[in-house]
Amino acid sequence: MARRVLILGGTGFVGSEICRRAEAAGWECVLLSRRGGSGGAAKQTHVAGDATQPGVVEAVVKEHGPFSAAVHCIGALLDGSSGLRYANLVVSASRSLPMAGQSYVDITENTALALLRASGGSGGTLMPFVFVSAAEAGWADEDAMMWGGATIERWSPRWLKRYLSSKRTVEAALLNSTGVRPVILRPSFVWNWCKLDVLPLVALFTLLNALGVPFIDRPVRVETIAAAAVTAIDSSSEASGVLRHIEMNQLADSSCVKAAKAP
């Protein structure tokens, strides 16, 4: 059976890079997004649809499956209930704008949980399920290295608390699932060299992390996230659980070594 991966949010900043790398690695990619697309690449199928609407994810799985892997990278830093949704046109690299009134529950929780319900292993094999979370979701981990984060979160704006709550709800559902192999990527600031306006923030986050500020993770390039995700969904991978920037870099580096050794 051909290796086929379903990517929710596949035309976004992170999703499009994951798709590009997955296709280069031999995967057939089915991309579900509100934008749709032309499906110009031979191994890409673009499906236009709103994953926040009931039944949409399940219908795509039924029509275009079976799938060997699933990737969820739908997200918005500022949801439609925050009153700040238009700020996504500035802070979002893909300029994705959530619908008015849509909450993080609609955008993150419901879409990821729908994909989890529709996913599952076959023949005794657990399907890898990659969820792009956030480093700050670790603020609530009492034994995590990001100590001090819980204090910072208590003073955070309500929209950020709701954002992190939705990320954690999905993380918990994946970690408690017996039907998938969960791979939770927790990047903090995501960037690449094509978006020069964010470089001052990248430098600031990098400096603060280097100085040992415990609740700030090192920024992660989108190419690193994508390489880690594609490596993690391979059937030979044992990647599982929560991966922060160190583990993501290790997975990305292993994919480069594998590519170098390929004939």
Side-chain angles (χ1 to χ4, degrees), residues 5 26 39 108 195 211 224 234 241 258:
V5 57
T108 302
K195 202 170 185 334
L211 292 174
T224 300
D234 192 274
K258 182 182 294 186

Side-chain angles (χ1 to χ4, degrees), residues 18-261:
I18 291 176
C19 179
R20 185 183 71 80
R21 288 181 179 260
E23 184 183 13
W27 286 85
E28 292 183 7
C29 302
V30 177
L31 284 63
L32 172 62
S33 72
R34 289 180 300 158
R35 305 180 187 194
S38 60
K43 293 186 178 181
Q44 290 182 19
T45 300
H46 289 251
V47 180
D50 187 347
T52 65
Q53 298 302 308
V56 170
V57 172
E58 293 85 350
V60 172
V61 171
K62 183 177 181 180
E63 180 178 353
H64 296 277
F67 293 98
S68 305
V71 177
H72 184 284
C73 44
I74 295 177
L77 179 60
L78 299 160
D79 68 4
S81 299
S82 66
L84 301 169
R85 71 186 186 100
Y86 284 106
N88 286 292
L89 297 175
V90 177
V91 300
S92 170
S94 63
R95 298 177 62 83
S96 178
L97 188 66
M99 301 292 289
Q102 279 190 332
S103 67
Y104 296 113
V105 172
D106 300 320
I107 298 168
T108 302
E109 285 184 45
N110 290 349
T111 57
L113 297 181
L115 181 58
L116 178 59
R117 288 192 298 269
S119 302
S122 60
T125 302
L126 294 180
M127 175 191 288
F129 188 122
V130 173
F131 174 62
V132 180
S133 185
E136 293 73 23
W139 281 352
D141 296 344
E142 293 295 333
D143 57 348
M145 293 178 63
M146 298 180 75
W147 59 267
T151 301
I152 297 299
E153 186 174 344
R154 280 197 293 271
W155 292 94
S156 298
R158 288 185 60 191
W159 65 263
L160 180 56
K161 294 177 181 177
R162 293 188 295 105
Y163 171 85
L164 295 177
S165 175
S166 289
K167 293 289 190 183
R168 290 167 186 155
T169 296
V170 177
E171 287 190 7
L174 287 171
L175 293 172
N176 291 322
S177 173
T178 58
V180 299
R181 172 166 59 86
V183 180
I184 297 168
L185 304 181
R186 277 187 183 173
S188 182
F189 202 97
V190 182
W191 68 287
N192 70 3
W193 289 108
C194 295
K195 202 170 185 334
L196 300 179
D197 58 321
V198 302
L199 293 185
L201 282 177
V202 172
L204 176 61
F205 271 59
T206 302
L207 175 62
L208 292 176
N209 178 258
L211 292 174
V213 178
F215 50 86
I216 293 182
D217 255 12
R218 187 180 182 88
V220 182
R221 289 177 60 194
V222 68
E223 293 87 354
T224 300
I225 298 172
V230 173
T231 301
I233 63 176
D234 192 274
S235 59
S236 64
S237 174
E238 296 181 354
S240 181
V242 174
L243 308 181
R244 288 174 62 189
H245 67 96
I246 295 175
E247 293 85 5
M248 282 185 276
N249 275 288
Q250 290 172 342
L251 270 182
D253 289 343
S254 69
S255 71
C256 293
V257 170
K258 182 182 294 186
K261 290 182 178 178

